[in-house]
Amino acid sequence: MSLRPTVDFLLYDWLDAPSLSERERFADHSRETFDAVLDTCERIAREKYAPFNRVVDTQEPHFDGEKVILPQCTHDANRAYAESGMLSAAQDYDEGGMQLPYTIEAAANGFFGLASVSIGSSLLTKGNANLLLVHGTEMQKAVFARNEFNGRFSGTMCLSEPQAGSSLSDITTRAVPDGAGFEADPLGPRYRLKGNKMWISAGEHELTENIVHLVLAKIPGPDGKLIPGTRGISLFIVPKKMVDTQGQLTGVRNDVALAGLNHKLGWRGTTNTLLNFGEGKFPVNGEAGAVGYLVGRPHEGLRCMFHMMNEARIGVGTAAVMLGLAGYYASLDYAKNRPQGRPMGPAGKDVAQPPVRIIEHADVKRMLLAQKSYCEGALALELYCARLVDEQHTGSEADADEARLLLEVLTPIAKSWPSEWCLEANSLAIQVHGGYGYTRDFPVEQYWRDNRLNMIHEGTHGIQAMDLLGRKVLMEGGKGLTLLAGRINGTIQRAIHVPEFAAHANALGQALAQVGAATKAAWSTGEPTDALANAVPYLQAFGHTVLAWVWLDVALAAHAAPASSARTGRLAAMRFFFHYELPKIGAWLQVVSSRDQTCAALPEEAF
C-alpha cells in the first residue's frame, strides 16, 4: 500500500496546498512543482532508505577507537538526501533554496520516515541552520548555516546533561571568555566550554566534513558562580573541527570528545552520544576547553534555542506517524494474505470449509481500523500544523498572529498525541501478526521499538502535558484556546448540516465543552499543584478532541469527493474514532475536573 494517495488527498483536497502559490514567496510554485518534490523524495526513500531499514537496525554504529563506523548505506542515503536539495528546500533563493512551503517539505520528508526513520538526521541539521539564520551573525550564517544547508556540515542540539535530564535549569556546562579580545573573533564572541552533554543524536559520525554543535551552557556571573535557573543559559556554536572565516577546515580538532555511544531500543541507525566538552583530549592552542562562539546575546540561549522547537516537535510527531503507518501497511498486507480460522455461522464454525483470511474477522478489522484512524488522523494533524507554520511566515499580520497562537496550543498535541497513539498502532500491528509479529522475521517489532523513543525526546509526554495545561491554554488570556475552539466550532457548524455527520458534530461539540469546563475546574483553586497533578489525562483528552475535530474536517472533504474505496475508508476511520475513541475523554477529564490527588498525594513509602 502506498502513502502517496493519502498525502495527495490531505494536501490537495483538504488543505488546498496549491493556494499557497498565491503568496509572493511561493509564486513560482504550483501543484506541478509540489508533485515533482514529492516524486523525488518518494523515489529516493524507496531506493536509498527502505531496502536498508533492517540493515541499520542490526549493524549498529560502533566506535573503532578513532571514529564512529556506520554502514555504507547510511552514507549513500545521506548523500542522496543532500544532493536532492531538501536540506535547503524551504530557504530563500538567495540561500540556494527552493522557497518551498513547509507544508510540502513536511509531507515530502514523511516518505523518508516511512522508509527508514533512523537512517537520517536531517531534522536536527535543518533546525540548527534555521536557528542560525534567525539569531546568528552574517559570518555565522555564511560559515555554519549555509554549509549545513549544502550538506558539507551537519548539526546537533546539545541541551541535556547526565545529571539534569530535561531540567535545563540544572545544567552545569560552563562557558568562560577565551582570553583577551575574545569579543572580537570574526566568528562571534569566543568562549571556552567545559561540561558533558547526553542523548546527543548524530553527535559523532563521518557522514559530513564537520559537525556543528549548538550547545547550551552558562556564563558565570561576576562572582564566578553559575547563575541559578535558566536565566544564565547562553547558546554557543561549537564545531567538531575548527574552521576559518571561509568555512574551510583548519586541520585543528576542537576539544569535543566522544565519551560513549548509547545503546538504544530503537533508532539504532542514528548515533546517540555522550559528549565531553573541554576535557583536554583535543586541546586547542595547547589549552583544554572546547572553543565556542556565542549566538545572540549572553543569557538568551533558551530564547534562541526554542526558535527551532516547534518545527522539531512537528518533525517528531511526523516520525511517530510514519512509523505507525509503516506498521499499519505491513499488518494490512499480512491480514490480506494470512488464512486462519473460519467464520461463525448459526451452527457454529464449519470446519469442513477452508480457512478464511484473517482480515475477514471483525476483531482484526477493528485493529486495522484503529491503526488507520490513529495514523491517518495524526498525519492530517501534522500537515495542518505545517500549514500553520506557512501561515505564520507568509500570511497577513492578523492571520500570522492567529497561526502563531494556534501553533502554541497545538504543538504539544502534534508532538505527543502521535507519539502515544501511533505507538499503540504499532502494538496492534504486532497483534495482527500474532506470534510472528513478535519475531524479527517481520518488520513490525522494529517499528514498535523505533517508535517508543518518540514519547521521550523533544520533551517527554509529561513535560508536554504540563506545558499545555500549565502554560499554553492560559497564555495571553487564553486567546489561543479560544481561537482553537473557534476553528472547531466552524467545523461543527459545517458538519451539522450534513445528515450523516450531525451526530458526530454534536458529539464533538460536547467534547469541546467538556474540555473547556475541565480547564476551568483544574485551575479553579489557582494552585498549580492542584491543576497539574493530572496534566497527562488532560493532554490525552485534549488530544482526542483535537483528533476528532481533524477527522470530522477531513471527512467533510472526503464526503465531497467522488465515491471510491479510499473515500469509504476515510469515512469509516472517522466513524471509528468517534464511536471507539472520543468517548474515552470522560474518564480522563473526570480526574482533571475534580483535581484528584490520588497520585500526587501518595507518600513515597506506600509504593
Side-chain angles (χ1 to χ4, degrees):
M1 186 172 181
S2 171
L3 170 67
R4 185 60 179 275
T6 301
V7 167
D8 284 351
F9 172 81
L10 293 174
L11 288 177
Y12 301 134
D13 295 279
W14 182 51
L15 290 174
D16 189 22
S19 66
L20 288 166
S21 302
E22 298 167 11
R23 309 282 171 89
E24 181 180 355
R25 178 172 181 80
F26 309 130
D28 292 337
H29 286 289
S30 63
R31 175 161 182 174
E32 286 69 30
T33 64
F34 296 162
D35 280 343
V37 169
L38 297 173
D39 289 343
T40 298
C41 290
E42 190 175 18
R43 177 184 56 78
I44 295 172
R46 183 175 61 249
E47 296 175 357
K48 300 294 186 179
Y49 285 69
F52 308 104
N53 189 48
R54 183 61 86 181
V55 172
V56 298
D57 185 62
T58 56
Q59 297 180 25
E60 293 185 62
H62 65 277
F63 184 56
D64 70 354
E66 294 184 7
K67 57 184 180 292
V68 170
I69 307 299
L70 291 163
Q72 182 60 41
C73 60
T74 304
H75 292 262
D76 296 341
N78 188 75
R79 187 179 307 111
Y81 187 87
E83 291 174 352
S84 74
M86 286 301 293
L87 281 167
S88 60
Q91 301 308 313
D92 295 348
Y93 293 136
D94 291 344
E95 298 288 351
M98 307 179 199
Q99 293 188 187
L100 189 72
Y102 180 61
T103 308
I104 305 301
E105 181 189 18
N109 280 320
F111 292 111
F112 301 103
L114 183 73
S116 183
V117 76
S118 73
I119 283 183
S121 56
S122 61
L123 174 69
L124 292 177
T125 296
K126 285 189 279 191
N128 180 310
N130 283 334
L131 183 152
L132 292 177
L133 286 186
V134 175
H135 297 290
T137 65
E138 289 305 313
M139 181 71 74
Q140 289 171 346
K141 295 175 190 177
V143 171
F144 298 109
R146 288 171 192 149
N147 280 313
E148 290 182 87
F149 284 133
N150 67 27
R152 282 188 62 214
F153 299 171
S154 58
T156 73
M157 292 167 46
C158 299
L159 290 76
S160 298
E161 297 181 7
Q163 82 291 343
S166 299
S167 180
L168 297 181
S169 297
D170 298 317
I171 68 171
T172 58
T173 299
R174 174 184 293 255
V176 297
D178 185 23
F182 78 97
E183 292 178 310
D185 194 298
L187 291 175
R190 190 180 64 251
Y191 287 73
R192 292 282 185 149
L193 279 71
K194 294 185 178 181
N196 313 102
K197 294 292 180 178
M198 187 71 162
W199 312 121
I200 310 307
S201 294
E204 180 61 39
H205 54 74
E206 302 294 320
L207 296 172
T208 53
E209 290 182 40
N210 205 357
I211 302 174
V212 180
H213 301 293
L214 282 180
V215 183
L216 290 182
K218 290 186 176 182
I219 300 173
D223 60 359
K225 297 180 179 179
L226 298 183
I227 299 171
T230 59
R231 292 183 300 110
I233 295 177
S234 302
L235 181 64
F236 300 88
I237 299 167
V238 183
K240 172 184 172 181
K241 300 174 183 178
M242 303 301 292
V243 298
D244 61 22
T245 55
Q246 303 303 309
Q248 299 303 310
L249 304 185
T250 64
V252 176
R253 173 75 184 261
N254 203 357
D255 198 7
V256 182
L258 176 70
L261 296 173
N262 294 310
H263 301 287
K264 301 169 295 176
L265 178 72
W267 282 69
R268 293 174 176 171
T270 300
T271 57
N272 189 274
T273 61
L274 171 63
L275 298 177
N276 291 342
F277 291 84
E279 68 175 1
K281 184 172 183 179
F282 303 106
V284 180
N285 297 327
E287 182 182 344
V291 174
Y293 306 100
L294 182 69
V295 178
R297 299 172 61 183
H299 311 310
E300 294 188 359
L302 278 187
R303 184 180 69 85
C304 295
M305 186 64 86
F306 275 99
H307 176 86
M308 63 191 289
M309 286 301 184
N310 274 359
E311 291 182 26
R313 286 170 176 165
I314 292 170
V316 169
T318 303
V321 170
M322 292 305 156
L323 285 163
L325 282 170
Y328 167 55
Y329 295 154
S331 61
L332 177 60
D333 180 69
Y334 184 82
K336 287 180 175 179
N337 291 285
R338 166 70 172 176
Q340 183 176 319
R342 292 162 179 80
M344 184 70 71
K349 294 180 180 179
D350 183 356
V351 295
Q353 296 298 315
V356 298
R357 295 168 305 137
I358 63 172
I359 197 170
E360 297 181 44
H361 299 305
D363 193 57
V364 173
K365 289 185 179 181
R366 176 191 63 82
M367 292 188 283
L368 292 170
L369 198 48
Q371 293 178 67
K372 182 180 178 70
S373 74
Y374 299 155
C375 300
E376 291 186 9
L379 176 59
L381 172 64
E382 301 303 331
L383 294 179
Y384 185 87
C385 288
R387 183 70 170 77
L388 288 176
V389 171
D390 283 325
E391 194 65 37
Q392 185 179 0
H393 292 163
T394 65
S396 67
E397 185 176 350
D399 288 346
D401 192 57
E402 184 170 313
R404 173 188 66 84
L405 279 165
L406 285 167
L407 276 171
E408 291 284 3
V409 175
L410 286 174
T411 297
I413 305 300
K415 188 273 172 185
S416 290
W417 198 94
S419 298
E420 179 172 3
W421 294 97
C422 294
L423 178 67
E424 173 62 17
N426 288 134
S427 182
L428 290 170
I430 292 173
Q431 192 71 17
V432 169
H433 281 74
Y436 289 111
Y438 202 63
T439 71
R440 294 182 185 178
D441 297 329
F442 289 82
V444 287
E445 59 84 27
Q446 182 185 343
Y447 298 143
W448 187 94
R449 287 188 288 105
D450 284 342
N451 217 351
R452 189 58 187 82
L453 176 61
N454 289 311
M455 286 182 72
I456 299 171
H457 70 171
E458 292 300 334
T460 64
H461 221 48
I463 288 172
Q464 298 293 338
M466 288 190 287
D467 183 46
L468 177 66
L469 181 55
R471 193 166 73 89
K472 296 298 179 63
V473 298
L474 305 177
M475 65 187 297
E476 299 184 33
K479 188 176 179 182
L481 184 58
T482 301
L483 285 170
L484 178 60
R487 297 267 176 124
I488 294 173
N489 279 317
T491 298
I492 290 171
Q493 291 307 310
R494 290 166 52 221
I496 208 162
H497 298 294
V498 180
E500 55 264 53
F501 294 164
H504 303 110
N506 284 322
L508 179 57
Q510 292 167 14
L512 180 61
Q514 285 180 270
V515 170
T519 307
K520 292 179 181 177
W523 284 104
S524 61
T525 66
E527 291 291 337
T529 53
D530 289 346
L532 299 180
N534 295 291
V536 166
Y538 180 84
L539 174 76
Q540 290 169 316
F542 197 109
H544 262 50
T545 302
V546 167
L547 264 291
W549 161 56
V550 167
W551 261 122
L552 188 58
D553 210 74
V554 167
L556 286 166
H559 185 263
S564 67
S565 296
R567 178 183 184 272
T568 300
R570 291 184 184 109
L571 296 179
M574 181 274 292
R575 291 194 303 273
F576 176 92
F577 199 87
F578 272 84
H579 295 167
Y580 287 76
E581 294 295 331
L582 190 59
K584 294 177 180 177
I585 72 167
W588 290 325
L589 292 178
Q590 175 59 38
V591 293
V592 175
S593 298
S594 64
R595 300 177 301 284
D596 186 273
Q597 296 295 302
T598 298
C599 300
L602 187 65
E604 178 181 332
E605 57 271 16
F607 282 95

